């Protein structure tokens, strides 16, 4: 048995070397994480919205949202994000898109938490006109992602105010990447009746991507967010054109690695025993099918860690949220986070 194991290990090592030589992968493998997390109503306690959209999350509001609950929420979310690590990404993701945040200050408070402070995460935020008073934002680690610019895009083709789409452009290891952070309109009124609103949001994301490629055809584009639709729904599969499989996706097409996750029964939120996967990270074809020496897709994960789950009652196994049925649970979020990993092999330096 010992001789067999030795022979097997030798063959694996030989195959690995041959594969690396065949694909010019004699250099070092690099890995980077890109994540998204709906933070579920991360509001401060101050009634500072001129239209009183935040009164529910104040000490005198319905949720009795006080300093203790706010600090608990920050600690919980910071701990959750601190666990977005892998052996290849020990300092966490390079980029974390977020949604359901009230303002810039709550993100500043979040990244200042002891669990996240060593990462020195930087904040990108913009106030949206959303009727409920929530925005999208982006956190990034400056050691991995070099920020260039941000633009914000308003969805004006629907009959109510919703979140702006944030497009952040920068470089990871010298390669230019654009990340479009979204929180598409909800299913209020029913999925079918509200679908045109999300189709309009998908069309805007596609328009942003096309405008990026007109300027820089080689830039990689990542569309992420709480899309309030599943991968096979019309907004994602038809309007955005995000495919279930990467094979055949052109450089300026899109691949949705979370489609197969939902096919296998894995979701990011649940209602009445039905799982949905609204929290998606969709990548352009020039990332999905990039050569080995450029950033290319490696893996997609729903970060449904045990500590993020409810452990009892009819919500057992669901995301442990902050409130449920009017009761304070001191949880994390009603959505699980998602993450993709990209890898590349640095070619050896010629002697």
């Amino acid at each position: 048995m010992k001789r067999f194991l030795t022979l097997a290990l030798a063959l694996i090592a030989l195959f690995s070397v041959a594969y690396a030589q065949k694909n010019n992968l004699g250099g070092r493998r690099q890995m980077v994480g890109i994540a998204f997390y709906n933070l579920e109503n991360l509001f401060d306690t101050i009634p500072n919205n001129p239209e009183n959209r935040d009164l529910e999350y104040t000490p005198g509001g319905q949720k009795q949202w006080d300093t203790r609950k706010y600090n608990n929420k920050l600690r919980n979310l910071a701990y959750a994000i601190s666990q977005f690590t892998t052996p290849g990404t020990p300092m966490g993701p390079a980029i974390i898109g977020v949604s359901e945040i009230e303002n810039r200050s709550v993100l500043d408070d979040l990244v200042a938490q002891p669990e996240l402070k060593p990462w020195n995460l930087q904040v990108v935020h913009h106030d949206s006109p959303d009727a409920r008073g929530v925005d999208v934002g982006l956190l990034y680690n400056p050691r991995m992602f070099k920020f260039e610019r941000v633009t914000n895009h308003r969805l004006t083709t629907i009959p109510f105010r919703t979140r702006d789409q944030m497009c952040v452009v920068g470089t990871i290891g010298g390669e230019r990447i654009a990340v479009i952070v979204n929180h598409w309109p909800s299913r209020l009124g029913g999925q079918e009746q509200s679908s045109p609103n999300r189709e309009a949001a998908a069309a805007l994301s596609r328009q942003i991507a096309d405008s990026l490629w007109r300027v820089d055809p080689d830039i990689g584009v990542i569309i992420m967010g709480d899309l309030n639709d599943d991968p096979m729904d019309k907004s994602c599969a038809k309007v955005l054109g995000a495919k279930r499989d990467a094979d055949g996706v052109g450089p300026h097409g899109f691949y949705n690695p979370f489609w197969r996750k939902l096919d296998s029964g894995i979701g990011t939120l649940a209602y009445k025993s039905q799982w949905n996967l609204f929290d998606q990270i969709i990548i352009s074809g020039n990332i999905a099918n990039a050569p080995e020496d450029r950033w290319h897709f490696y893996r997609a994960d729903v970060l449904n860690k045990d500590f993020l789950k409810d452990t009892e009652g009819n919500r057992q196994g669901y995301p442990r949220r902050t409130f449920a049925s009017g009761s304070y649970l001191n949880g994390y979020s009603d959505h699980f986070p998602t993450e993709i990993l990209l890898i590349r092999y640095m070619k050896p330096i010629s002697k």
Side-chain angles (χ1 to χ4, degrees):
M1 177 62 73
K2 190 172 181 179
R3 183 179 297 176
F4 174 78
L5 288 174
T6 302
L7 179 61
L9 290 172
L11 289 172
I12 291 171
L14 184 63
F15 173 80
S16 298
V17 171
Y19 179 82
Q21 290 174 342
K22 178 181 177 181
N23 293 277
N24 295 317
L25 305 182
R28 180 169 55 94
R29 188 181 83 163
Q30 296 180 325
M31 180 177 290
V32 66
I34 296 172
F36 175 78
Y37 199 7
N38 179 325
L39 302 183
E40 193 210 11
N41 296 318
L42 181 55
F43 281 80
D44 60 27
T45 63
I46 304 166
N48 51 13
N49 191 295
E51 298 181 15
N52 297 324
R53 289 177 289 178
D54 62 346
L55 288 182
E56 183 180 9
Y57 285 89
T58 58
Q62 181 183 354
K63 296 288 196 293
Q64 297 181 354
W65 191 245
D66 55 19
T67 300
R68 178 183 66 89
K69 291 176 181 175
Y70 176 57
N71 287 335
N72 286 347
K73 178 85 168 179
L74 290 172
R75 280 193 294 268
N76 290 348
L77 291 174
Y79 175 74
I81 292 170
S82 74
Q83 301 305 298
F84 294 5
T85 59
T86 71
T89 58
M91 288 298 290
I95 293 168
I96 306 167
V98 294
S99 68
E100 289 201 18
I101 55 170
E102 182 184 13
N103 50 41
R104 165 76 187 237
S105 70
V106 299
L107 291 182
D108 289 335
D109 289 345
L110 178 61
V111 300
Q113 294 296 301
E115 294 87 353
L116 296 181
K117 196 169 184 179
W119 291 2
N120 190 31
L121 294 174
Q122 304 298 298
V123 173
V124 184
H125 172 264
H126 158 77
D127 282 314
S128 288
D130 178 70
R132 202 162 63 83
V134 292
D135 307 325
V136 299
L138 184 135
L139 313 176
Y140 69 91
N141 189 322
R143 282 172 284 190
M144 294 178 256
F145 179 74
K146 303 303 179 186
F147 173 85
E148 289 183 8
R149 61 185 174 87
V150 58
T151 55
N152 297 284
H153 305 263
R154 189 147 298 175
L155 184 59
T156 59
T157 56
I158 62 175
F160 56 87
R161 295 174 299 173
T162 189
R163 283 73 61 172
D164 291 342
Q165 297 186 15
M166 171 182 285
C167 179
V168 178
V169 176
T171 59
I172 300 178
E175 295 184 33
R176 297 188 79 233
I177 287 179
V179 179
I180 306 170
V181 189
N182 293 267
H183 187 179
W184 288 357
S186 75
R187 293 187 170 192
L188 185 65
Q191 177 186 358
E192 185 175 348
Q193 293 84 346
S194 61
S195 180
N197 299 327
R198 291 182 297 282
E199 293 165 32
L204 177 59
S205 291
R206 179 77 223 196
Q207 177 184 328
I208 297 168
D210 288 341
S211 67
L212 289 163
W213 283 320
R214 280 195 291 270
V215 176
D216 181 359
D218 294 328
I219 193 170
V221 177
I222 297 172
I223 296 174
M224 64 162 61
D226 176 356
L227 307 186
N228 274 306
D229 263 340
D230 287 318
M232 71 287 295
D233 289 327
K234 185 177 180 181
S235 60
C236 299
K238 300 297 182 183
V239 179
L240 195 57
K243 306 300 183 183
R244 184 173 180 268
D245 299 297
D247 292 345
V249 174
H252 296 171
F254 285 104
Y255 163 56
N256 191 340
F258 289 92
W259 195 324
R260 287 188 178 274
K261 291 288 182 184
L262 186 58
D263 284 348
S264 64
I266 298 173
T268 57
L269 72 161
Y271 179 69
K272 293 184 177 180
S273 302
Q274 175 69 45
W275 281 98
N276 294 102
L277 209 163
F278 291 173
D279 305 85
Q280 300 168 47
I281 304 173
I282 298 168
I283 58 177
S284 55
N286 57 3
I287 297 176
N289 297 312
E292 298 280 355
D293 62 344
R294 293 182 63 85
W295 291 119
H296 59 280
F297 176 72
Y298 176 66
R299 194 175 78 205
D301 293 301
V302 174
L303 304 180
N304 52 0
K305 300 174 183 290
D306 286 343
F307 72 87
L308 293 174
K309 298 177 182 178
D310 254 324
T311 58
E312 56 188 30
N314 59 5
R315 291 186 52 82
Q316 187 172 358
Y318 292 7
R320 183 170 178 82
R321 55 197 305 169
T322 307
F323 291 90
S325 301
S327 298
Y328 175 61
L329 302 182
N330 189 25
Y332 299 83
S333 171
D334 56 348
H335 293 241
F336 289 135
T338 49
E339 182 177 29
I340 62 168
L341 297 176
L342 306 180
I343 60 170
R344 69 177 178 181
Y345 293 89
M346 301 301 292
K347 290 182 178 179
I349 300 174
S350 302
K351 294 182 179 180

